[in-house]
Amino acid sequence: MKWLLVEKCIPLDTKLIDDSIKCNVDDVRYSPTVDFIRYVYEKFNRELFVGALPGVDEIEVDVSNKIRGGVFGQATCNICKSRCFVEDIKLKLNSTVTLTIHEWLEVMLHEMIHIFDYTMNTKKYCVDDGYDGHDEWFNEFSKRFKRYWIGC
């Protein structure tokens, strides 16, 4: 007998996603989609970041099967240190992982805090001492969103 593994992708069902934000959590596990990333990015940018992040059309969003090491998502950018300028912001979710919608929302929020850090705290990227992405600022700023973490 052969087994067929059927992965479910997150449906672009805004009510289901919005219910997951409100902690009406189910335990169905999904793979992320670009449509999910775009919807949640726009919603969180508008409602949680008051539009402070670049628009979803100004960054590259994607799902990738090349993210390794137990990483669920990643936000990256290029830094022009001479002009202290951030460009080419990318947000990717790991397509080889399945999580509940609420868990994917947590990943999105985490990566969006990185994007906020890139765009609002650009100067700390322009030093040669390196950059700690999960520094004290990141941890303190993340506390503002505690009500959105899985501890529903």
Side-chain angles (χ1 to χ4, degrees):
M1 175 187 295
K2 290 186 178 182
W3 292 94
L4 176 63
L5 177 62
V6 178
E7 276 190 18
K8 291 177 106 175
C9 290
I10 298 174
L12 189 59
D13 177 343
T14 57
K15 181 175 178 349
L16 179 64
I17 294 168
D18 291 347
D19 283 349
S20 291
I21 292 170
K22 297 172 186 165
C23 293
N24 296 337
V25 181
D26 66 24
D27 58 356
V28 178
R29 300 171 75 79
Y30 300 94
S31 296
T33 65
V34 170
D35 287 338
F36 171 79
I37 296 170
R38 293 180 68 80
Y39 174 77
V40 173
Y41 185 92
E42 287 178 328
K43 182 174 186 64
F44 281 2
N45 188 20
R46 183 178 59 252
E47 296 177 9
L48 304 180
F49 293 90
V50 196
L53 301 179
V56 72
D57 294 326
E58 299 173 63
I59 68 169
E60 180 183 323
V61 296
D62 204 359
V63 293
S64 174
N65 63 3
K66 294 179 175 37
I67 301 172
R68 298 285 180 239
V71 175
F72 301 134
Q74 60 185 192
T76 60
C77 66
N78 291 326
I79 311 292
C80 177
K81 288 188 177 183
S82 64
R83 295 183 306 153
C84 202
F85 182 73
V86 174
E87 60 187 3
D88 299 325
I89 297 172
K90 298 176 181 158
L91 189 158
K92 294 182 182 180
L93 296 183
N94 190 337
S95 64
T96 66
V97 174
T98 57
L99 299 172
T100 66
I101 292 175
H102 194 82
E103 289 168 333
W104 280 120
L105 292 168
E106 290 179 338
V107 172
M108 284 288 299
L109 183 54
H110 179 98
E111 300 309 330
M112 290 176 74
I113 293 170
H114 282 299
I115 292 171
F116 185 84
D117 193 16
Y118 299 155
T119 57
M120 302 308 273
N121 299 319
T122 306
K123 288 185 180 181
K124 71 181 179 180
Y125 287 91
C126 298
V127 297
D128 292 328
D129 298 342
Y131 170 72
D132 178 6
H134 297 112
D135 61 3
E136 185 178 336
W137 178 91
F138 183 92
N139 292 323
E140 285 302 311
F141 190 79
S142 296
K143 289 177 184 176
R144 296 179 182 196
F145 304 105
K146 189 154 183 75
R147 67 178 172 223
Y148 295 97
W149 301 129
I150 198 67
C152 297

